[in-house]
PDB file of all heavy atoms in Angstrom:
ATOM      1  N   GLY V   1     128.007  97.325 107.107  1.00 96.00           N
ATOM      2  CA  GLY V   1     129.412  97.092 106.749  1.00 96.00           C
ATOM      3  C   GLY V   1     129.657  95.683 106.256  1.00 96.00           C
ATOM      4  O   GLY V   1     130.553  95.465 105.415  1.00 96.00           O
ATOM      5  N   PHE V   2     128.925  94.714 106.762  1.00 96.00           N
ATOM      6  CA  PHE V   2     129.081  93.347 106.268  1.00 96.00           C
ATOM      7  C   PHE V   2     128.780  93.288 104.778  1.00 96.00           C
ATOM      8  O   PHE V   2     129.562  92.732 103.993  1.00 96.00           O
ATOM      9  CB  PHE V   2     128.153  92.387 107.036  1.00 96.00           C
ATOM     10  CG  PHE V   2     128.373  90.933 106.726  1.00 96.00           C
ATOM     11  CD1 PHE V   2     129.093  90.138 107.590  1.00 96.00           C
ATOM     12  CD2 PHE V   2     127.908  90.367 105.549  1.00 96.00           C
ATOM     13  CE1 PHE V   2     129.315  88.803 107.303  1.00 96.00           C
ATOM     14  CE2 PHE V   2     128.141  89.042 105.253  1.00 96.00           C
ATOM     15  CZ  PHE V   2     128.836  88.244 106.120  1.00 96.00           C
ATOM     16  N   PHE V   3     127.675  93.888 104.373  1.00 96.00           N
ATOM     17  CA  PHE V   3     127.297  93.850 102.974  1.00 96.00           C
ATOM     18  C   PHE V   3     128.210  94.719 102.117  1.00 96.00           C
ATOM     19  O   PHE V   3     128.523  94.374 100.971  1.00 96.00           O
ATOM     20  CB  PHE V   3     125.829  94.268 102.805  1.00 96.00           C
ATOM     21  CG  PHE V   3     124.869  93.257 103.372  1.00 96.00           C
ATOM     22  CD1 PHE V   3     124.454  93.331 104.691  1.00 96.00           C
ATOM     23  CD2 PHE V   3     124.409  92.214 102.585  1.00 96.00           C
ATOM     24  CE1 PHE V   3     123.591  92.383 105.221  1.00 96.00           C
ATOM     25  CE2 PHE V   3     123.548  91.271 103.098  1.00 96.00           C
ATOM     26  CZ  PHE V   3     123.130  91.346 104.415  1.00 96.00           C
ATOM     27  N   SER V   4     128.641  95.848 102.665  1.00 97.00           N
ATOM     28  CA  SER V   4     129.588  96.688 101.929  1.00 97.00           C
ATOM     29  C   SER V   4     130.883  95.936 101.664  1.00 97.00           C
ATOM     30  O   SER V   4     131.505  96.070 100.594  1.00 97.00           O
ATOM     31  CB  SER V   4     129.891  97.957 102.716  1.00 97.00           C
ATOM     32  OG  SER V   4     128.727  98.768 102.839  1.00 97.00           O
ATOM     33  N   SER V   5     131.294  95.072 102.610  1.00 96.00           N
ATOM     34  CA  SER V   5     132.527  94.311 102.432  1.00 96.00           C
ATOM     35  C   SER V   5     132.404  93.301 101.281  1.00 96.00           C
ATOM     36  O   SER V   5     133.413  92.853 100.742  1.00 96.00           O
ATOM     37  CB  SER V   5     132.892  93.577 103.729  1.00 96.00           C
ATOM     38  OG  SER V   5     132.166  92.370 103.874  1.00 96.00           O
ATOM     39  N   LEU V   6     131.174  92.933 100.943  1.00 96.00           N
ATOM     40  CA  LEU V   6     130.937  92.018  99.830  1.00 96.00           C
ATOM     41  C   LEU V   6     130.787  92.754  98.503  1.00 96.00           C
ATOM     42  O   LEU V   6     130.587  92.114  97.461  1.00 96.00           O
ATOM     43  CB  LEU V   6     129.671  91.188 100.085  1.00 96.00           C
ATOM     44  CG  LEU V   6     129.640  90.336 101.352  1.00 96.00           C
ATOM     45  CD1 LEU V   6     128.316  89.578 101.430  1.00 96.00           C
ATOM     46  CD2 LEU V   6     130.814  89.366 101.402  1.00 96.00           C
ATOM     47  N   GLY V   7     130.879  94.097  98.543  1.00 97.00           N
ATOM     48  CA  GLY V   7     130.788  94.885  97.318  1.00 97.00           C
ATOM     49  C   GLY V   7     129.432  95.491  97.055  1.00 97.00           C
ATOM     50  O   GLY V   7     129.226  96.116  96.011  1.00 97.00           O
ATOM     51  N   PHE V   8     128.470  95.330  97.962  1.00 97.00           N
ATOM     52  CA  PHE V   8     127.162  95.934  97.779  1.00 97.00           C
ATOM     53  C   PHE V   8     127.207  97.422  98.069  1.00 97.00           C
ATOM     54  O   PHE V   8     127.954  97.870  98.967  1.00 97.00           O
ATOM     55  CB  PHE V   8     126.113  95.274  98.688  1.00 97.00           C
ATOM     56  CG  PHE V   8     125.733  93.876  98.260  1.00 97.00           C
ATOM     57  CD1 PHE V   8     126.442  92.770  98.727  1.00 97.00           C
ATOM     58  CD2 PHE V   8     124.676  93.650  97.395  1.00 97.00           C
ATOM     59  CE1 PHE V   8     126.104  91.493  98.354  1.00 97.00           C
ATOM     60  CE2 PHE V   8     124.338  92.375  97.009  1.00 97.00           C
ATOM     61  CZ  PHE V   8     125.035  91.283  97.485  1.00 97.00           C
ATOM     62  N   ALA V   9     126.432  98.197  97.345  1.00 97.00           N
ATOM     63  CA  ALA V   9     126.377  99.640  97.550  1.00 97.00           C
ATOM     64  C   ALA V   9     125.821  99.963  98.937  1.00 97.00           C
ATOM     65  O   ALA V   9     124.997  99.213  99.460  1.00 97.00           O
ATOM     66  CB  ALA V   9     125.522 100.292  96.474  1.00 97.00           C
ATOM     67  N   PRO V  10     126.241 101.087  99.522  1.00 97.00           N
ATOM     68  CA  PRO V  10     125.715 101.459 100.845  1.00 97.00           C
ATOM     69  C   PRO V  10     124.194 101.645 100.794  1.00 97.00           C
ATOM     70  O   PRO V  10     123.602 101.893  99.739  1.00 97.00           O
ATOM     71  CB  PRO V  10     126.410 102.788 101.144  1.00 97.00           C
ATOM     72  CG  PRO V  10     127.614 102.821 100.254  1.00 97.00           C
ATOM     73  CD  PRO V  10     127.225 102.058  99.025  1.00 97.00           C
ATOM     74  N   LEU V  11     123.574 101.544 101.945  1.00 97.00           N
ATOM     75  CA  LEU V  11     122.143 101.809 102.037  1.00 97.00           C
ATOM     76  C   LEU V  11     121.872 103.289 101.750  1.00 97.00           C
ATOM     77  O   LEU V  11     122.732 104.131 102.027  1.00 97.00           O
ATOM     78  CB  LEU V  11     121.639 101.459 103.452  1.00 97.00           C
ATOM     79  CG  LEU V  11     121.661  99.960 103.793  1.00 97.00           C
ATOM     80  CD1 LEU V  11     121.502  99.752 105.297  1.00 97.00           C
ATOM     81  CD2 LEU V  11     120.576  99.214 103.026  1.00 97.00           C
ATOM     82  N   PRO V  12     120.727 103.613 101.176  1.00 97.00           N
ATOM     83  CA  PRO V  12     120.433 105.000 100.856  1.00 97.00           C
ATOM     84  C   PRO V  12     120.285 105.842 102.116  1.00 97.00           C
ATOM     85  O   PRO V  12     119.977 105.330 103.198  1.00 97.00           O
ATOM     86  CB  PRO V  12     119.100 104.919 100.097  1.00 97.00           C
ATOM     87  CG  PRO V  12     118.477 103.665 100.577  1.00 97.00           C
ATOM     88  CD  PRO V  12     119.619 102.708 100.819  1.00 97.00           C
ATOM     89  N   GLU V  13     120.504 107.134 101.984  1.00 97.00           N
ATOM     90  CA  GLU V  13     120.388 108.025 103.131  1.00 97.00           C
ATOM     91  C   GLU V  13     118.991 107.975 103.750  1.00 97.00           C
ATOM     92  O   GLU V  13     118.823 108.113 104.956  1.00 97.00           O
ATOM     93  CB  GLU V  13     120.717 109.458 102.712  1.00 97.00           C
ATOM     94  CG  GLU V  13     120.822 110.437 103.869  1.00 97.00           C
ATOM     95  CD  GLU V  13     121.887 110.045 104.893  1.00 97.00           C
ATOM     96  OE1 GLU V  13     122.913 109.461 104.502  1.00 97.00           O
ATOM     97  OE2 GLU V  13     121.672 110.309 106.102  1.00 97.00           O
ATOM     98  N   THR V  14     117.982 107.743 102.886  1.00 97.00           N
ATOM     99  CA  THR V  14     116.625 107.673 103.420  1.00 97.00           C
ATOM    100  C   THR V  14     116.434 106.501 104.374  1.00 97.00           C
ATOM    101  O   THR V  14     115.559 106.539 105.234  1.00 97.00           O
ATOM    102  CB  THR V  14     115.603 107.556 102.275  1.00 97.00           C
ATOM    103  OG1 THR V  14     115.984 106.450 101.421  1.00 97.00           O
ATOM    104  CG2 THR V  14     115.551 108.841 101.465  1.00 97.00           C
ATOM    105  N   PHE V  15     117.230 105.445 104.239  1.00 98.00           N
ATOM    106  CA  PHE V  15     117.134 104.313 105.166  1.00 98.00           C
ATOM    107  C   PHE V  15     117.358 104.802 106.600  1.00 98.00           C
ATOM    108  O   PHE V  15     116.623 104.421 107.526  1.00 98.00           O
ATOM    109  CB  PHE V  15     118.186 103.260 104.802  1.00 98.00           C
ATOM    110  CG  PHE V  15     118.275 102.133 105.794  1.00 98.00           C
ATOM    111  CD1 PHE V  15     117.491 100.998 105.637  1.00 98.00           C
ATOM    112  CD2 PHE V  15     119.144 102.200 106.880  1.00 98.00           C
ATOM    113  CE1 PHE V  15     117.570  99.949 106.547  1.00 98.00           C
ATOM    114  CE2 PHE V  15     119.224 101.154 107.803  1.00 98.00           C
ATOM    115  CZ  PHE V  15     118.422 100.035 107.638  1.00 98.00           C
ATOM    116  N   TRP V  16     118.362 105.647 106.774  1.00 98.00           N
ATOM    117  CA  TRP V  16     118.698 106.129 108.125  1.00 98.00           C
ATOM    118  C   TRP V  16     117.696 107.168 108.610  1.00 98.00           C
ATOM    119  O   TRP V  16     117.478 107.309 109.814  1.00 98.00           O
ATOM    120  CB  TRP V  16     120.110 106.691 108.113  1.00 98.00           C
ATOM    121  CG  TRP V  16     121.104 105.728 107.542  1.00 98.00           C
ATOM    122  CD1 TRP V  16     121.669 105.731 106.299  1.00 98.00           C
ATOM    123  CD2 TRP V  16     121.589 104.547 108.184  1.00 98.00           C
ATOM    124  NE1 TRP V  16     122.484 104.648 106.126  1.00 98.00           N
ATOM    125  CE2 TRP V  16     122.444 103.886 107.280  1.00 98.00           C
ATOM    126  CE3 TRP V  16     121.378 103.963 109.437  1.00 98.00           C
ATOM    127  CZ2 TRP V  16     123.110 102.704 107.583  1.00 98.00           C
ATOM    128  CZ3 TRP V  16     122.031 102.780 109.761  1.00 98.00           C
ATOM    129  CH2 TRP V  16     122.881 102.170 108.833  1.00 98.00           C
ATOM    130  N   GLN V  17     117.067 107.867 107.708  1.00 97.00           N
ATOM    131  CA  GLN V  17     116.089 108.879 108.090  1.00 97.00           C
ATOM    132  C   GLN V  17     114.737 108.296 108.427  1.00 97.00           C
ATOM    133  O   GLN V  17     114.000 108.804 109.271  1.00 97.00           O
ATOM    134  CB  GLN V  17     115.922 109.897 106.952  1.00 97.00           C
ATOM    135  CG  GLN V  17     117.169 110.681 106.597  1.00 97.00           C
ATOM    136  CD  GLN V  17     117.060 111.398 105.256  1.00 97.00           C
ATOM    137  OE1 GLN V  17     116.108 111.199 104.512  1.00 97.00           O
ATOM    138  NE2 GLN V  17     118.051 112.236 104.948  1.00 97.00           N
ATOM    139  N   ARG V  18     114.370 107.171 107.757  1.00 97.00           N
ATOM    140  CA  ARG V  18     112.985 106.682 107.837  1.00 97.00           C
ATOM    141  C   ARG V  18     112.823 105.381 108.600  1.00 97.00           C
ATOM    142  O   ARG V  18     111.694 105.008 108.927  1.00 97.00           O
ATOM    143  CB  ARG V  18     112.454 106.517 106.406  1.00 97.00           C
ATOM    144  CG  ARG V  18     112.435 107.807 105.637  1.00 97.00           C
ATOM    145  CD  ARG V  18     112.112 107.580 104.148  1.00 97.00           C
ATOM    146  NE  ARG V  18     112.181 108.839 103.397  1.00 97.00           N
ATOM    147  CZ  ARG V  18     112.064 108.929 102.081  1.00 97.00           C
ATOM    148  NH1 ARG V  18     111.882 107.827 101.349  1.00 97.00           N
ATOM    149  NH2 ARG V  18     112.128 110.105 101.481  1.00 97.00           N
ATOM    150  N   SER V  19     113.897 104.647 108.836  1.00 97.00           N
ATOM    151  CA  SER V  19     113.755 103.379 109.564  1.00 97.00           C
ATOM    152  C   SER V  19     113.377 103.622 111.016  1.00 97.00           C
ATOM    153  O   SER V  19     113.672 104.674 111.599  1.00 97.00           O
ATOM    154  CB  SER V  19     115.081 102.600 109.540  1.00 97.00           C
ATOM    155  OG  SER V  19     115.334 102.063 108.255  1.00 97.00           O
ATOM    156  N   GLN V  20     112.692 102.638 111.606  1.00 95.00           N
ATOM    157  CA  GLN V  20     112.479 102.623 113.057  1.00 95.00           C
ATOM    158  C   GLN V  20     113.517 101.682 113.630  1.00 95.00           C
ATOM    159  O   GLN V  20     113.375 100.472 113.587  1.00 95.00           O
ATOM    160  CB  GLN V  20     111.068 102.137 113.395  1.00 95.00           C
ATOM    161  CG  GLN V  20     110.823 102.013 114.916  1.00 95.00           C
ATOM    162  CD  GLN V  20     109.533 101.338 115.261  1.00 95.00           C
ATOM    163  OE1 GLN V  20     108.472 101.893 115.020  1.00 95.00           O
ATOM    164  NE2 GLN V  20     109.621 100.130 115.809  1.00 95.00           N
ATOM    165  N   ILE V  21     114.590 102.244 114.148  1.00 95.00           N
ATOM    166  CA  ILE V  21     115.705 101.446 114.675  1.00 95.00           C
ATOM    167  C   ILE V  21     115.533 101.182 116.176  1.00 95.00           C
ATOM    168  O   ILE V  21     115.852 100.098 116.666  1.00 95.00           O
ATOM    169  CB  ILE V  21     117.032 102.120 114.373  1.00 95.00           C
ATOM    170  CG1 ILE V  21     117.266 102.104 112.838  1.00 95.00           C
ATOM    171  CG2 ILE V  21     118.197 101.432 115.091  1.00 95.00           C
ATOM    172  CD1 ILE V  21     118.495 102.873 112.393  1.00 95.00           C
ATOM    173  N   THR V  22     114.998 102.157 116.897  1.00 93.00           N
ATOM    174  CA  THR V  22     114.704 101.979 118.312  1.00 93.00           C
ATOM    175  C   THR V  22     113.233 102.248 118.571  1.00 93.00           C
ATOM    176  O   THR V  22     112.554 102.871 117.755  1.00 93.00           O
ATOM    177  CB  THR V  22     115.566 102.916 119.187  1.00 93.00           C
ATOM    178  OG1 THR V  22     115.324 104.281 118.770  1.00 93.00           O
ATOM    179  CG2 THR V  22     117.045 102.604 119.030  1.00 93.00           C
ATOM    180  N   ARG V  23     112.759 101.817 119.684  1.00 89.00           N
ATOM    181  CA  ARG V  23     111.346 102.010 120.020  1.00 89.00           C
ATOM    182  C   ARG V  23     111.081 103.459 120.409  1.00 89.00           C
ATOM    183  O   ARG V  23     111.732 104.007 121.302  1.00 89.00           O
ATOM    184  CB  ARG V  23     110.963 101.117 121.196  1.00 89.00           C
ATOM    185  CG  ARG V  23     109.491 101.249 121.578  1.00 89.00           C
ATOM    186  CD  ARG V  23     109.071 100.229 122.580  1.00 89.00           C
ATOM    187  NE  ARG V  23     107.609 100.239 122.713  1.00 89.00           N
ATOM    188  CZ  ARG V  23     106.888  99.175 122.983  1.00 89.00           C
ATOM    189  NH1 ARG V  23     107.474  98.011 123.163  1.00 89.00           N
ATOM    190  NH2 ARG V  23     105.577  99.266 123.074  1.00 89.00           N
ATOM    191  N   PRO V  24     110.131 104.120 119.731  1.00 91.00           N
ATOM    192  CA  PRO V  24     109.790 105.488 120.121  1.00 91.00           C
ATOM    193  C   PRO V  24     109.182 105.507 121.515  1.00 91.00           C
ATOM    194  O   PRO V  24     108.559 104.558 121.969  1.00 91.00           O
ATOM    195  CB  PRO V  24     108.735 105.892 119.066  1.00 91.00           C
ATOM    196  CG  PRO V  24     108.891 104.921 117.954  1.00 91.00           C
ATOM    197  CD  PRO V  24     109.357 103.651 118.571  1.00 91.00           C
ATOM    198  N   ARG V  25     109.368 106.621 122.188  1.00 88.00           N
ATOM    199  CA  ARG V  25     108.870 106.741 123.568  1.00 88.00           C
ATOM    200  C   ARG V  25     107.462 107.296 123.629  1.00 88.00           C
ATOM    201  O   ARG V  25     106.824 107.249 124.681  1.00 88.00           O
ATOM    202  CB  ARG V  25     109.795 107.663 124.374  1.00 88.00           C
ATOM    203  CG  ARG V  25     111.217 107.127 124.524  1.00 88.00           C
ATOM    204  CD  ARG V  25     112.057 108.070 125.381  1.00 88.00           C
ATOM    205  NE  ARG V  25     113.423 107.573 125.557  1.00 88.00           N
ATOM    206  CZ  ARG V  25     114.354 108.212 126.253  1.00 88.00           C
ATOM    207  NH1 ARG V  25     114.075 109.368 126.830  1.00 88.00           N
ATOM    208  NH2 ARG V  25     115.562 107.690 126.368  1.00 88.00           N
ATOM    209  N   ASP V  26     106.973 107.831 122.505  1.00 88.00           N
ATOM    210  CA  ASP V  26     105.718 108.599 122.555  1.00 88.00           C
ATOM    211  C   ASP V  26     104.528 107.894 121.937  1.00 88.00           C
ATOM    212  O   ASP V  26     103.465 108.496 121.766  1.00 88.00           O
ATOM    213  CB  ASP V  26     105.937 109.957 121.869  1.00 88.00           C
ATOM    214  CG  ASP V  26     106.313 109.794 120.395  1.00 88.00           C
ATOM    215  OD1 ASP V  26     106.733 108.677 119.998  1.00 88.00           O
ATOM    216  OD2 ASP V  26     106.172 110.778 119.639  1.00 88.00           O
ATOM    217  N   ARG V  27     104.662 106.617 121.544  1.00 87.00           N
ATOM    218  CA  ARG V  27     103.535 105.963 120.885  1.00 87.00           C
ATOM    219  C   ARG V  27     103.718 104.458 120.884  1.00 87.00           C
ATOM    220  O   ARG V  27     104.810 103.941 121.147  1.00 87.00           O
ATOM    221  CB  ARG V  27     103.399 106.468 119.439  1.00 87.00           C
ATOM    222  CG  ARG V  27     104.638 106.193 118.569  1.00 87.00           C
ATOM    223  CD  ARG V  27     104.478 106.869 117.219  1.00 87.00           C
ATOM    224  NE  ARG V  27     105.510 106.526 116.265  1.00 87.00           N
ATOM    225  CZ  ARG V  27     106.643 107.203 116.112  1.00 87.00           C
ATOM    226  NH1 ARG V  27     106.895 108.240 116.894  1.00 87.00           N
ATOM    227  NH2 ARG V  27     107.520 106.849 115.196  1.00 87.00           N
ATOM    228  N   GLU V  28     102.616 103.769 120.581  1.00 86.00           N
ATOM    229  CA  GLU V  28     102.632 102.314 120.461  1.00 86.00           C
ATOM    230  C   GLU V  28     103.091 101.935 119.068  1.00 86.00           C
ATOM    231  O   GLU V  28     102.661 102.555 118.068  1.00 86.00           O
ATOM    232  CB  GLU V  28     101.254 101.733 120.736  1.00 86.00           C
ATOM    233  CG  GLU V  28     100.785 101.867 122.179  1.00 86.00           C
ATOM    234  CD  GLU V  28     101.675 101.108 123.145  1.00 86.00           C
ATOM    235  OE1 GLU V  28     102.071  99.976 122.826  1.00 86.00           O
ATOM    236  OE2 GLU V  28     101.970 101.644 124.219  1.00 86.00           O
ATOM    237  N   VAL V  29     103.955 100.913 118.977  1.00 83.00           N
ATOM    238  CA  VAL V  29     104.452 100.462 117.677  1.00 83.00           C
ATOM    239  C   VAL V  29     104.526  98.925 117.712  1.00 83.00           C
ATOM    240  O   VAL V  29     104.461  98.297 118.761  1.00 83.00           O
ATOM    241  CB  VAL V  29     105.870 101.024 117.379  1.00 83.00           C
ATOM    242  CG1 VAL V  29     105.856 102.535 117.353  1.00 83.00           C
ATOM    243  CG2 VAL V  29     106.884 100.513 118.411  1.00 83.00           C
ATOM    244  N   VAL V  30     104.661  98.335 116.522  1.00 79.00           N
ATOM    245  CA  VAL V  30     104.934  96.908 116.400  1.00 79.00           C
ATOM    246  C   VAL V  30     106.435  96.715 116.479  1.00 79.00           C
ATOM    247  O   VAL V  30     107.180  97.219 115.619  1.00 79.00           O
ATOM    248  CB  VAL V  30     104.385  96.340 115.079  1.00 79.00           C
ATOM    249  CG1 VAL V  30     104.766  94.863 114.939  1.00 79.00           C
ATOM    250  CG2 VAL V  30     102.879  96.493 115.013  1.00 79.00           C
ATOM    251  N   CYS V  31     106.902  95.988 117.484  1.00 83.00           N
ATOM    252  CA  CYS V  31     108.338  95.821 117.666  1.00 83.00           C
ATOM    253  C   CYS V  31     108.897  94.621 116.924  1.00 83.00           C
ATOM    254  O   CYS V  31     110.118  94.498 116.777  1.00 83.00           O
ATOM    255  CB  CYS V  31     108.678  95.706 119.159  1.00 83.00           C
ATOM    256  SG  CYS V  31     108.786  97.318 119.992  1.00 83.00           S
ATOM    257  N   HIS V  32     108.041  93.698 116.490  1.00 79.00           N
ATOM    258  CA  HIS V  32     108.518  92.513 115.779  1.00 79.00           C
ATOM    259  C   HIS V  32     109.376  92.936 114.587  1.00 79.00           C
ATOM    260  O   HIS V  32     108.924  93.712 113.730  1.00 79.00           O
ATOM    261  CB  HIS V  32     107.354  91.663 115.299  1.00 79.00           C
ATOM    262  CG  HIS V  32     107.741  90.362 114.683  1.00 79.00           C
ATOM    263  ND1 HIS V  32     108.126  89.276 115.442  1.00 79.00           N
ATOM    264  CD2 HIS V  32     107.850  89.960 113.398  1.00 79.00           C
ATOM    265  CE1 HIS V  32     108.428  88.264 114.635  1.00 79.00           C
ATOM    266  NE2 HIS V  32     108.287  88.660 113.404  1.00 79.00           N
ATOM    267  N   ALA V  33     110.612  92.475 114.532  1.00 85.00           N
ATOM    268  CA  ALA V  33     111.559  92.945 113.520  1.00 85.00           C
ATOM    269  C   ALA V  33     111.082  92.599 112.111  1.00 85.00           C
ATOM    270  O   ALA V  33     110.616  91.504 111.844  1.00 85.00           O
ATOM    271  CB  ALA V  33     112.937  92.335 113.763  1.00 85.00           C
ATOM    272  N   SER V  34     111.234  93.550 111.191  1.00 89.00           N
ATOM    273  CA  SER V  34     110.858  93.321 109.785  1.00 89.00           C
ATOM    274  C   SER V  34     111.644  94.253 108.885  1.00 89.00           C
ATOM    275  O   SER V  34     112.191  95.262 109.332  1.00 89.00           O
ATOM    276  CB  SER V  34     109.347  93.529 109.583  1.00 89.00           C
ATOM    277  OG  SER V  34     108.936  94.807 110.023  1.00 89.00           O
ATOM    278  N   ALA V  35     111.712  93.871 107.609  1.00 93.00           N
ATOM    279  CA  ALA V  35     112.446  94.641 106.608  1.00 93.00           C
ATOM    280  C   ALA V  35     111.469  95.058 105.508  1.00 93.00           C
ATOM    281  O   ALA V  35     110.641  94.256 105.079  1.00 93.00           O
ATOM    282  CB  ALA V  35     113.562  93.809 106.004  1.00 93.00           C
ATOM    283  N   TRP V  36     111.565  96.309 105.072  1.00 94.00           N
ATOM    284  CA  TRP V  36     110.583  96.883 104.157  1.00 94.00           C
ATOM    285  C   TRP V  36     111.274  97.533 102.959  1.00 94.00           C
ATOM    286  O   TRP V  36     112.398  98.012 103.060  1.00 94.00           O
ATOM    287  CB  TRP V  36     109.782  97.983 104.874  1.00 94.00           C
ATOM    288  CG  TRP V  36     108.994  97.539 106.061  1.00 94.00           C
ATOM    289  CD1 TRP V  36     109.471  96.969 107.224  1.00 94.00           C
ATOM    290  CD2 TRP V  36     107.581  97.660 106.234  1.00 94.00           C
ATOM    291  NE1 TRP V  36     108.436  96.722 108.082  1.00 94.00           N
ATOM    292  CE2 TRP V  36     107.271  97.142 107.516  1.00 94.00           C
ATOM    293  CE3 TRP V  36     106.537  98.168 105.446  1.00 94.00           C
ATOM    294  CZ2 TRP V  36     105.967  97.097 108.008  1.00 94.00           C
ATOM    295  CZ3 TRP V  36     105.256  98.140 105.942  1.00 94.00           C
ATOM    296  CH2 TRP V  36     104.949  97.605 107.191  1.00 94.00           C
ATOM    297  N   ASN V  37     110.544  97.579 101.849  1.00 94.00           N
ATOM    298  CA  ASN V  37     110.885  98.436 100.733  1.00 94.00           C
ATOM    299  C   ASN V  37     109.586  99.065 100.249  1.00 94.00           C
ATOM    300  O   ASN V  37     108.767  98.416  99.617  1.00 94.00           O
ATOM    301  CB  ASN V  37     111.565  97.661  99.580  1.00 94.00           C
ATOM    302  CG  ASN V  37     112.086  98.594  98.503  1.00 94.00           C
ATOM    303  OD1 ASN V  37     111.820  99.792  98.523  1.00 94.00           O
ATOM    304  ND2 ASN V  37     112.832  98.053  97.569  1.00 94.00           N
ATOM    305  N   LEU V  38     109.391 100.346 100.559  1.00 93.00           N
ATOM    306  CA  LEU V  38     108.066 100.946 100.377  1.00 93.00           C
ATOM    307  C   LEU V  38     107.746 101.320  98.939  1.00 93.00           C
ATOM    308  O   LEU V  38     106.588 101.374  98.568  1.00 93.00           O
ATOM    309  CB  LEU V  38     107.897 102.173 101.279  1.00 93.00           C
ATOM    310  CG  LEU V  38     107.358 101.814 102.673  1.00 93.00           C
ATOM    311  CD1 LEU V  38     108.398 101.135 103.526  1.00 93.00           C
ATOM    312  CD2 LEU V  38     106.790 103.038 103.370  1.00 93.00           C
TER     313      LEU V  38
END
């Protein structure tokens, strides 16, 4: 919402489908925060 308020387009729907926002319970992951564009 901060970026939307500046006039930037919303994030794509795939962002919400594919991001790791919380730590999964069933596997080991890297928790160090990072931003990606695949």
Side-chain angles (χ1 to χ4, degrees):
F2 187 101
F3 291 91
S4 295
S5 81
L6 301 180
F8 288 90
L11 292 165
E13 188 59 33
T14 53
F15 173 90
W16 307 103
Q17 298 166 352
R18 299 170 183 174
S19 288
Q20 177 189 291
I21 293 174
T22 57
R23 181 172 192 148
R25 297 181 179 180
D26 61 343
R27 60 187 187 269
E28 291 297 319
V29 300
V30 175
C31 279
H32 186 78
S34 55
W36 300 60
N37 188 351
L38 272 73

